[in-house]
């Protein structure tokens, strides 16, 4: 081919065209150079982070939450590893059949699954803390873009019996109630981390950097005895059912150490399955519900009157015909008692007798004694929700109010506060601190003196007779063991007045000469025809006390046969309230 004859090749090219092309190439290289400087020099850190974000991931290594144990090491709450299912929405297979199958396994509708798999989301949980069966079914479906990790889930072996003690955690393993909440910081531990490279399918390719190991949470050893706790729960549950009541509570204290051996409430709930929970189930009534303590206050008034030398246990008190006009009101007993001793005032639970003892002393002295036994103050225990109750300043008391407070009206306390107050009678006049945690003590804890040992021993004798064959709580007797205590029955207050609804309770100690435990029982709104504390709460006290003393290895101090004979000969006394 003759190139010289070709018109195209023979034409002359203007010089500016070649220079223009060279300039364009130069500008392109200059742009590339500028971009390289921008990426690799000026903004290196930013682009490195963007790159790492696409292949490098930091995996959380969750710490195992500490266990909650009872006093003997029995596990009340522990964490176990369970599968959690998640997805990268953009990578999830679009197969509609598999998606419907996945939704069915997860227990949600296909529409709900579609909403979760929002393509704009980079990560989404499909089901956290699932069971192994669900995880296996999800894996068998084989849907691309669906992954599984292991998280910790709390297990509560004692179930509803210990629910109000241990509480529960949320899906993030954070304490929400009970000991789980009170000791959240100690139980939670510290999570670790692991930096890895993942491929586009989410699989870990290699580790990068150092692994920071997780630090597991500390175990919490409670003072609670799981056997006593379970038995107390059963008894209060049965009592609520038998009396067609609204609710009930039991508190058991070891008076040597101040340890809480049991704290049971009914209604309750399963901490491991909290679907359809109600406020009534969640309420820790022994600590959060306050009520007018009624006749359980009478022994304290008698004790104060004897401690200050105003009376002795043998001083006579005229209770008259059972009706005592006072300050425009009428204070009454269930029946006339006439002239009785201070000892019999407590044994027969006389409102009139207690009033006459109280009105011998200044309001200030009564207030100081009530304060000394913990009324009007929040219990100092490591537990959420404990309330202080109500105790007004003594300067505001009118005479009629001082009178009614002497037999437990016009002030309020929780069942837990009453149980602690009765440690005064068990510890020769000292009130002791109480604890939900196991105490490493072999000897009795020191307390704060309220009454002298001599007065306290006389008060224990009164309490023994009050719970004895001739008292108001014969059903509180425990075969083989001497007991003492005081029943109480109070009208419930609604609005500004009282209604024909009752709270019934009994607080007592055993054995009477060398007490080891205090047991307090409350039944709310019994409606089966019987509502006196001795008849409703007394039997629960008897059963729980007997079981607890046996578990603690306390030797019986009474002959059962003579105890039965004495009960058969006795004439029961109705309590005043």
């Amino acid at each position: 081919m003759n190139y010289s004859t070709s018109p195209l090749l023979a034409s002359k090219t203007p010089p500016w065209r070649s220079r223009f092309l060279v300039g364009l190439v130069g500008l392109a290289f200059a742009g590339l150079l500028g971009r390289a400087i921008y990426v690799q020099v000026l903004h290196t850190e930013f682009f490195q982070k963007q790159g790492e974000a696409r292949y490098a991931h930091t995996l959380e290594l969750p710490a195992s939450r500490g266990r909650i144990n009872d006093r003997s090491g029995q596990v009340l709450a522990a964490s176990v590893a369970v599968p959690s299912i998640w997805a990268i929405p953009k990578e999830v297979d679009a197969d509609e059949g598999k998606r419907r199958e996945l939704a069915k396994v997860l227990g949600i509708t296909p529409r709900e699954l579609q909403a979760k798999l929002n393509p704009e989301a980079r990560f989404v949980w499909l089901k956290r803390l699932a069971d192994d069966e669900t995880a296996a079914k999800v894996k068998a479906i084989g849907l691309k873009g669906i992954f599984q990790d292991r998280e910790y889930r709390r297990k509560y072996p004692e179930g509803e019996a210990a629910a109000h003690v241990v509480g529960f955690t949320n899906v993030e393993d954070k304490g929400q109630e009970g000991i789980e909440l009170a000791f959240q910081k100690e139980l939670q531990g510290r999570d670790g981390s692991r930096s890895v490279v993942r491929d586009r399918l989410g699989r870990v390719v290699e580790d990068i950097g150092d692994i920071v190991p997780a630090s597991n949470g500390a175990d919490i050893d409670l003072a609670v005895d799981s056997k006593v706790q379970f038995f107390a729960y059963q008894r209060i549950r049965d009592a609520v059912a038998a009396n067609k009541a609204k609710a009930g509570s039991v508190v058991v204290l070891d008076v040597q150490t101040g340890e809480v051996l049991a704290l049971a409430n009914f209604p309750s709930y399963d901490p491991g399955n909290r679907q359809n929970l109600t406020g009534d189930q969640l309420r820790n009534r022994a600590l959060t519900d306050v009520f007018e303590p009624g006749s359980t206050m009478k022994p304290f008034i008698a004790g104060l009157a004897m401690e200050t030398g105003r009376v002795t246990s043998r001083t006579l008190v005229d209770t008259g015909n059972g009706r005592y006009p006072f300050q425009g009101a009428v204070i009454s007993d269930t029946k006339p008692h006439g002239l009785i001793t201070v000892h019999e005032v407590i044994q027969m639970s006389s409102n009139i007798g207690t009033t006459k003892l109280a009105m011998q002393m200044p309001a200030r002295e009564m207030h100081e004694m009530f304060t000394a036994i913990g009324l009007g103050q929040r219990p100092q225990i490591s537990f959420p929700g404990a309330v202080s109750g109500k105790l007004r300043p003594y300067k505001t008391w009118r005479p009629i109010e001082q009178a009614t407070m002497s037999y437990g009206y016009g002030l309020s306390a929780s069942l837990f506060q009453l149980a602690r107050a009765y440690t005064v009678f068990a510890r020769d006049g000292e009130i002791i601190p109480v604890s939900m945690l196991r105490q490493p003590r072999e000897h009795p804890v020191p307390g704060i003196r309220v009454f002298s040992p001599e007065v306290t021993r006389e008060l224990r004798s009164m309490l023994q007779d009050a719970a004895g064959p001739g008292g108001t709580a014969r059903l509180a007797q425990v075969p083989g063991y001497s007991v003492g205590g005081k029943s109480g029955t109070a009208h419930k207050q609604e609005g500004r007045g009282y209604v024909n609804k009752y709270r019934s309770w009994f607080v007592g100690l055993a054995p009477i000469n060398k007490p080891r435990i205090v047991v307090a029982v409350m039944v709310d709104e019994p409606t089966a025809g019987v509502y006196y504390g001795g008849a409703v709460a007394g039997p629960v006290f008897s059963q729980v006390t007997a079981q607890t003393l046996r578990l603690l290895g306390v030797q019986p101090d009474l002959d059962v046969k003579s105890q039965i004979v004495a009960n058969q000969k006795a004439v029961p006394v109705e309590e005043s309230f």
Side-chain angles (χ1 to χ4, degrees), residues 197-210:
V197 174
R198 271 181 167 166
D199 64 14
R200 68 183 187 86
L201 298 179
R203 297 173 300 193
V204 174
V205 177
E206 64 174 318
D207 288 308
I208 54 176
D210 296 328

Side-chain angles (χ1 to χ4, degrees), residues 12-13 25 29 47 101 132 167 219 224 265 281 288 290 308 314 359 366 377 391 398 404 421 472 477 498 517 552 560:
K12 292 183 179 182
T13 303
V25 172
F29 275 107
F47 284 102
E101 188 177 355
D132 291 331
D219 292 346
V224 168
N265 297 280
Q281 290 174 290
T288 63
V290 295
T308 56
R314 296 179 297 277
M359 299 316 294
M366 276 181 57
Q377 305 163 63
L391 178 63
R398 294 177 296 141
T404 58
T472 59
Q477 291 288 294
Y498 293 93
I517 59 173
L552 293 176
V560 177

Side-chain angles (χ1 to χ4, degrees), residues 149-470:
D149 279 327
R150 306 292 284 185
E151 291 190 291
Y152 287 106
R153 182 178 185 175
R154 293 298 262 182
K155 295 289 185 181
Y156 301 95
E158 294 299 313
E160 61 185 22
H164 292 104
V165 173
V166 296
F168 58 87
T169 60
N170 62 11
V171 72
E172 300 292 341
D173 218 19
K174 306 297 182 185
Q176 302 296 295
E177 292 286 347
I179 295 296
E180 294 277 31
L181 174 59
F183 292 91
Q184 165 63 21
K185 184 177 180 181
E186 292 83 356
L187 287 165
Q188 71 176 350
R190 187 180 68 252
D191 292 340
S193 61
R194 174 191 176 195
S195 297
V196 300
V197 174
R198 271 181 167 166
D199 64 14
R200 68 183 187 86
L201 298 179
R203 297 173 300 193
V204 174
V205 177
E206 64 174 318
D207 288 308
I208 54 176
D210 296 328
I211 295 177
V212 179
S215 177
N216 292 334
D219 292 346
I220 300 296
D221 295 321
L222 299 183
V224 168
D225 186 310
S226 59
K227 296 183 181 67
V228 177
Q229 176 72 28
F230 181 72
F231 191 82
Y233 172 75
Q234 283 188 320
R235 298 288 75 80
I236 195 61
R237 179 195 63 191
D238 294 347
V240 169
N243 291 281
K244 298 180 181 179
K246 181 179 179 181
S249 301
V250 178
V251 177
V252 182
L253 300 180
D254 185 327
V255 301
Q256 289 186 353
T257 62
E259 295 172 315
V260 179
L261 299 179
L263 193 157
N265 297 280
F266 185 84
S268 187
Y269 62 95
D270 182 357
N273 181 16
R274 300 185 298 277
Q275 294 181 350
N276 303 318
L277 271 183
T278 65
D280 279 347
Q281 290 174 290
L282 285 171
R283 275 166 58 188
N284 191 341
R285 297 169 186 272
L287 283 164
T288 63
D289 285 17
V290 295
F291 52 89
E292 292 174 308
S295 296
T296 55
M297 289 293 99
K298 293 174 182 176
F300 294 102
I301 300 301
L304 182 58
M306 291 191 295
E307 185 71 25
T308 56
R310 292 182 172 91
V311 299
T312 69
S313 62
R314 296 179 297 277
T315 300
L316 293 174
V317 181
D318 186 5
T319 63
N321 63 358
R323 293 179 63 80
Y324 177 48
F326 184 81
Q327 294 284 312
V330 177
I331 296 172
S332 61
D333 289 335
T334 53
K335 68 178 183 179
H337 298 304
L339 195 64
I340 56 177
T341 64
V342 171
H343 186 109
E344 290 170 323
V345 166
I346 302 305
Q347 180 183 2
M348 299 178 181
S349 194
S350 170
N351 291 339
I352 297 173
T354 308
T355 296
K356 290 191 172 184
L357 293 177
M359 299 316 294
Q360 296 180 34
M361 60 191 74
R364 177 182 57 81
E365 287 187 14
M366 276 181 57
H367 187 276
E368 288 175 352
M369 185 269 294
F370 285 152
T371 302
I373 63 175
L375 301 187
Q377 305 163 63
R378 185 182 182 277
Q380 297 301 305
I381 58 169
S382 304
F383 207 86
V387 296
S388 61
K390 182 181 69 175
L391 178 63
R392 293 188 294 108
Y394 69 88
K395 291 182 179 180
T396 67
W397 295 2
R398 294 177 296 141
I400 186 60
E401 291 173 326
Q402 181 178 349
T404 58
M405 284 185 189
S406 72
Y407 53 89
Y409 280 84
L411 67 162
S412 65
S414 68
L415 189 69
F416 192 89
Q417 286 176 299
L418 283 182
R420 179 176 178 248
Y422 266 62
T423 63
V424 167
F425 307 127
R427 287 292 300 270
D428 283 341
E430 290 183 344
I431 187 166
I432 60 173
V434 292
S435 175
M436 294 293 297
L437 300 182
R438 186 79 166 92
Q439 298 300 301
R441 302 186 182 105
E442 296 293 335
H443 304 290
V445 295
I448 299 173
R449 183 155 300 284
V450 179
F451 301 133
S452 67
E454 295 75 23
V455 167
T456 309
R457 283 192 285 270
E458 291 193 70
L459 290 170
R460 281 207 297 266
S461 176
M462 296 178 192
L463 291 171
Q464 183 176 16
D465 286 345

Side-chain angles (χ1 to χ4, degrees), residues 10-31:
S11 62
K12 292 183 179 182
T13 303
W16 65 267
R17 290 181 62 186
S18 59
R19 288 195 291 271
F20 177 73
L21 290 175
V22 171
L24 288 178
V25 172
L27 286 173
F29 275 107

